[in-house]
Amino acid sequence: MWIDIAVQAPAHSQVGGLLTYHSPVSVQAGQLVRVPFGQREVLGVVWAMRDQAPADMPATSVRDVLGVLQGLPPLDASWRQLVQFSAQYYQRALGEVALSALPPQLRDLSSEQLARRLKKQTDRTVQTTPGPALSPEQINVLDQMANGPGPFLLFGSTGSGKTEVYLQAVARMLAADPQAQALLMVPEINLTPQLEERVQARFGTEAVVSMHSGMTPAQRLKAWLAAHAGHARIVLGTRMAIFASMPQLKLIVVDEEHDPSYKQQEGARYSARDLAVYRGRLQNAPVLLASATPSLESWHLSRPATKGDSGGRYQRLLMPSRIGTGLLPKVRRVDMNKQPRRAVLSTQLVAAIQERVERGEQCMLLLNRRGYAPVLHCADCGWKSDCKHCSAFRVFHKIDRTLRCHHCGLTERVPRACPECGNADIAPIGRGTEQLEEHLGELLAHVLRPDGTPVRIARIDADSTRLKGALESQLAQVHSGEVDVLVGTQMIAKGHDFRRITLVAAVNPDTALFSSDFRAPERLFALLMQAAGRAGRDAAQSATSEMWVQTFHPTHALFEALKKHDYPAFATSELAERTAADLPPISHQALLRADARTQEAAQALLNAARETLQAQLSADPETADLVMQVSVYPAVPMSMQRVADVERAQMLLESPKRMALQKTLWHLHSVLHQLRSLPEHKGVIRWLVDVDPQAI
């Protein structure tokens, strides 16, 4: 047999497609095989069969397959179609996407080792226990899901019981089909354990497997095999789980669907949320996207039909009320223009925190900047703690007295004096979570809890949770009431069900209001709404719960909408601005990025690609209209121009038509391969395409 096989070739090598091999034994599409590739032996996926060797190469030059991984069911046609679509849409090699979607350990196993692991696989029993009584809103949503094809966008306020809707939907699906599988996706690893606990309590530990990058290779292989064989009935995972092989997939849930973490930021830059919708269509599985602050893309796609507009492709489901008698927290804005200069926390906020702690309640302060201070500075000569490898400052971490670059990782001890002029008086500028924790300790030193003990302050950020198990133990302390005031970055704002928190405060959210990234206000609003949702989750305390926002722009429209918990008003206003400026979701974008030794070399490749592309498209009558349909902007440096001594530039492509943009990118690839081999572009290290970029 002659067969076409997908293997993992280096990105941007011109061996990106399928390779033809000869197999002395019969194989099926979707089977895993070992094949020679250059001097190496690699794992490949059988993609298609051929009746004969390709016409352009003699049969004698086609190499033989070395072996077949026996006992493993083939990857089915829908999985292969998902991979093929992802590779085409996100402009990557088919083999790269296919092989990176498989557990790494699978590549190293012999057929005997695989057979031993497969022997351990058994059917997993599902023991569904009944859930709590549902609210009328939850019942209505589940009924709508039962009667419509989807995709569905569940717009439910924080605390409205969205998780219970997922569990009920899974229970109904399992009751209807004893072989069915469900995929539940969460944006970040730290949200996996608590949902896993809840899902296992409902359906039994055997029926559930997790998939995320924090697992060991052996754990990932075990979970993947269980899902692939159909033994695991529920797969719970982060964005990588979208490529899990699940032959009986009948339901996909994407929790916190607005979260930027669903967009992969290296390799094939796919959006797991968007692929979930595509995969649901492929496998005829309903898709439920859920959020209290949906992405503007999903909100736009779920718009109801109006005169002159047929509406979106998604069905919008609404759950505006909190479970029980719970109310959303009251939002209070503090005008920092009226506070003493350089004040970190307003006197009103400190008093409110003290009052809550003395009553035995918990508070949470959000500051999206870790470390002690963003920069050290010498007032005499103007020296700042910049990083010699990046266009960034090294952050001052007081706990271990280091200056640390959060981009390249360069870490050095804090100098005793200014390296430029010798001045011993170098001082921190700005504030991070470490400094806020220290400052709170000073302000609340005299405050006592109801039992007469001192206030207990904890910090959760990427630094305090670096060690394995640290995040889980810190969250457990918050849940058990061992912490009175929690300080942290956005890690603490999402998805956590803190029952004792009654006050949440955003310390310094203004920077996102005037960012060069048009998505910054959308992300800020989502973060603040999510943070507010951590307060008053216990219905008994919800009436007195509060969200405080310290801002120099208290009358900004974003804070006006936040005060009313009015996401639709915010979305309407943002979409009007996006429509006027022809920005997504009204238009479609792609970024071409080049990394090089110099900024000139990076921009030269991009600008040459732009000119060559437009000349080639214009010269061919079949593609000339693409020049009019797709705007290609000149190259510019990235906002973080240099990282780890690599200069970075980007070029934006934009079109009102998704298909026109895709065709242009396809032509752009061949242009880049032509240019890359020219001597004048030898300084370029790599280039990459990001389709539907989330940050520009």
Side-chain angles (χ1 to χ4, degrees):
M1 297 178 74
W2 282 271
I3 49 179
D4 288 341
I5 294 180
V7 298
Q8 185 149 24
H12 303 316
S13 68
Q14 289 182 291
V15 193
L18 297 167
L19 300 179
T20 302
Y21 288 85
H22 175 260
S23 176
V25 296
S26 177
V27 293
Q28 290 174 267
Q31 272 192 299
L32 296 179
V33 292
R34 297 199 183 285
V35 293
F37 182 66
Q39 300 300 309
R40 296 179 296 137
E41 179 184 316
V42 298
L43 190 67
V45 182
V46 178
W47 218 258
M49 314 297 165
R50 286 176 175 268
D51 296 331
Q52 55 194 40
D56 57 350
M57 60 193 301
T60 51
S61 69
V62 178
R63 301 173 81 178
D64 274 3
V65 167
L66 299 173
V68 180
L69 262 68
Q70 301 291 351
L72 197 65
L75 293 153
D76 63 20
S78 61
W79 184 89
R80 299 198 305 277
Q81 179 58 38
L82 172 71
V83 166
Q84 193 149 351
F85 170 80
S86 306
Q88 287 170 347
Y89 186 81
Y90 293 106
Q91 304 289 318
R92 302 297 287 197
L94 175 61
E96 178 196 5
V97 178
L99 273 296
S100 60
L102 300 176
Q105 211 176 27
L106 203 54
R107 300 170 204 178
D108 307 321
L109 294 183
S110 66
S111 290
E112 295 73 32
Q113 291 170 318
L114 179 61
R116 281 202 297 274
R117 279 166 174 77
L118 289 171
K119 201 177 281 184
K120 293 176 186 173
Q121 293 280 330
T122 54
D123 277 331
R124 294 163 175 243
T125 52
V126 177
Q127 311 149 318
T128 308
T129 56
L134 296 176
S135 70
E137 286 179 3
Q138 289 172 319
I139 292 168
N140 183 38
V141 160
L142 285 163
D143 288 347
Q144 288 183 72
M145 285 183 66
N147 296 318
F152 303 99
L153 175 66
L154 174 55
F155 170 47
S157 68
T158 51
S160 62
K162 293 189 289 295
T163 307
E164 187 56 39
V165 167
Y166 316 153
L167 299 182
Q168 291 282 349
V170 171
R172 290 185 182 191
M173 175 208 70
L174 293 175
D177 180 351
Q179 301 301 313
Q181 293 177 295
L183 174 60
L184 302 184
M185 295 179 67
V186 290
E188 293 184 18
I189 293 174
N190 64 32
L191 297 177
T192 312
Q194 58 187 35
L195 185 57
E196 185 177 50
E197 208 174 282
R198 198 162 161 186
V199 176
Q200 287 179 343
R202 184 69 62 89
F203 300 106
T205 51
E206 284 195 348
V208 185
V209 297
S210 290
M211 286 189 187
H212 55 74
S213 58
M215 298 167 73
T216 65
Q219 289 170 329
R220 279 175 70 174
L221 177 64
K222 186 179 177 184
W224 186 89
L225 288 173
H228 177 60
H231 299 314
R233 310 301 300 286
I234 301 161
V235 172
L236 180 64
T238 52
R239 63 176 176 261
M240 65 186 294
I242 192 58
F243 289 112
S245 172
M246 300 176 70
Q248 301 296 326
L249 184 61
K250 295 289 187 287
L251 174 69
I252 304 176
V253 175
V254 184
D255 191 21
E256 310 288 11
E257 67 86 33
H258 67 278
D259 199 292
S261 301
Y262 282 120
K263 184 77 157 75
Q264 173 78 358
Q265 291 303 328
E266 55 194 34
R269 297 181 167 225
Y270 62 87
S271 162
R273 177 197 68 210
D274 297 349
L275 287 181
V277 174
Y278 180 80
R279 186 170 190 179
R281 197 162 68 231
L282 267 183
Q283 295 192 241
N284 200 24
V287 178
L288 179 65
L289 311 175
S291 176
T293 53
S295 64
L296 288 181
E297 282 81 2
S298 298
W299 189 254
H300 182 65
L301 283 167
S302 68
R303 66 193 185 280
T306 57
K307 193 176 180 181
D309 180 2
S310 58
R313 292 184 286 116
Y314 300 176
Q315 184 179 343
R316 194 180 293 174
L317 310 174
L318 306 175
M319 291 202 319
S321 312
R322 277 190 155 183
I323 288 295
T325 54
L327 303 169
L328 288 165
K330 181 181 180 183
V331 177
R332 304 182 62 144
R333 291 167 288 183
V334 179
D335 186 349
M336 294 304 283
N337 296 295
K338 297 176 180 174
Q339 295 297 314
R341 190 168 171 270
R342 300 178 69 81
V344 183
L345 299 172
S346 62
T347 49
Q348 303 99 302
L349 177 56
V350 174
I353 293 171
Q354 178 176 340
E355 188 184 317
R356 303 271 171 175
V357 171
E358 288 172 345
R359 289 209 301 254
E361 298 169 15
Q362 289 176 322
C363 302
M364 182 175 108
L365 274 70
L366 179 71
L367 176 62
N368 225 3
R369 180 174 272 158
R370 61 191 170 103
Y372 188 86
V375 61
L376 277 186
H377 171 248
C378 171
D380 280 10
C381 72
W383 171 84
K384 289 187 176 71
S385 57
D386 48 4
C387 174
K388 59 189 173 190
H389 303 299
C390 306
S391 310
F393 294 114
R394 285 174 297 157
V395 175
F396 172 40
H397 289 255
K398 189 176 181 181
I399 287 174
D400 57 3
R401 301 290 300 172
T402 59
L403 289 173
R404 204 179 300 162
C405 177
H406 290 172
H407 300 279
C408 73
L410 175 68
T411 303
E412 292 178 348
R413 301 289 297 167
V414 171
R416 293 180 182 278
C418 171
E420 299 282 320
C421 70
N423 172 26
D425 191 18
I426 50 176
I429 299 178
R431 292 165 194 87
T433 46
E434 270 184 32
Q435 189 177 160
L436 183 58
E437 179 188 23
E438 180 184 280
H439 189 51
L440 271 168
E442 294 163 359
L443 291 172
L444 303 176
H446 65 288
V447 177
L448 298 178
R449 304 169 67 249
D451 61 3
T453 57
V455 64
R456 295 167 303 187
I457 301 167
R459 170 172 55 88
I460 294 183
D461 56 26
D463 297 313
S464 71
T465 57
R466 196 168 283 158
L467 297 177
K468 189 171 175 63
L471 177 63
E472 289 77 9
S473 65
Q474 286 179 295
L475 290 173
Q477 289 178 334
V478 180
H479 286 297
S480 65
E482 294 172 52
V483 171
D484 303 306
V485 182
L486 175 62
V487 176
T489 54
Q490 61 181 11
M491 286 175 73
I492 59 174
K494 304 172 184 177
H496 301 292
D497 191 18
F498 299 131
R499 307 304 292 181
R500 294 178 167 89
I501 287 179
T502 57
L503 182 149
V504 171
V507 175
N508 181 21
D510 286 353
T511 47
L513 297 177
F514 308 103
S515 167
S516 58
D517 185 348
F518 68 86
R519 282 194 174 87
E522 178 186 358
R523 285 199 288 266
L524 174 62
F525 190 82
L527 180 64
L528 295 179
M529 282 277 280
Q530 294 289 329
R534 298 317 108 209
R537 293 179 80 85
D538 186 331
Q541 294 180 315
S542 67
T544 58
S545 65
E546 293 178 333
M547 166 74 176
W548 288 62
V549 179
Q550 294 193 153
T551 172
F552 288 95
H553 307 277
T555 58
H556 194 284
L558 185 147
F559 298 130
E560 293 284 352
L562 181 71
K563 185 171 176 61
K564 298 170 187 162
H565 298 279
D566 194 348
Y567 172 81
F570 170 77
T572 301
S573 146
E574 276 292 297
L575 280 170
E577 286 187 21
R578 301 265 187 102
T579 304
D582 271 336
L583 289 168
I586 310 307
S587 68
H588 308 283
Q589 294 180 330
L591 271 184
L592 174 62
R593 195 179 100 193
D595 294 355
R597 294 292 169 213
T598 65
Q599 184 62 216
E600 293 73 25
Q603 290 193 37
L605 175 74
L606 299 181
N607 285 325
R610 177 175 181 252
E611 289 162 20
T612 310
L613 173 71
Q614 292 186 326
Q616 287 186 5
L617 293 178
S618 302
D620 185 343
E622 290 191 7
T623 58
D625 60 331
L626 292 176
V627 178
M628 304 302 294
Q629 292 174 4
V630 180
S631 302
V632 185
Y633 295 93
V636 294
M638 290 185 67
S639 54
M640 179 61 64
Q641 183 173 323
R642 189 172 86 259
V643 171
D645 290 323
V646 172
E647 291 284 341
R648 313 183 313 162
Q650 62 186 9
M651 183 172 84
L652 179 67
L653 296 88
E654 195 171 54
S655 175
K657 297 184 177 177
R658 198 186 293 274
M659 189 52 71
L661 182 61
Q662 282 286 318
K663 286 178 182 173
T664 302
L665 291 173
W666 186 82
H667 287 285
L668 180 60
H669 257 282
S670 60
V671 167
L672 286 162
H673 281 299
Q674 291 166 27
L675 294 173
R676 184 76 168 78
S677 58
L678 299 178
E680 59 263 40
H681 299 303
K682 289 296 182 197
V684 175
I685 300 166
R686 69 183 74 86
W687 50 267
L688 58 89
V689 176
D690 188 357
V691 183
D692 303 331
Q694 289 301 296
I696 296 178

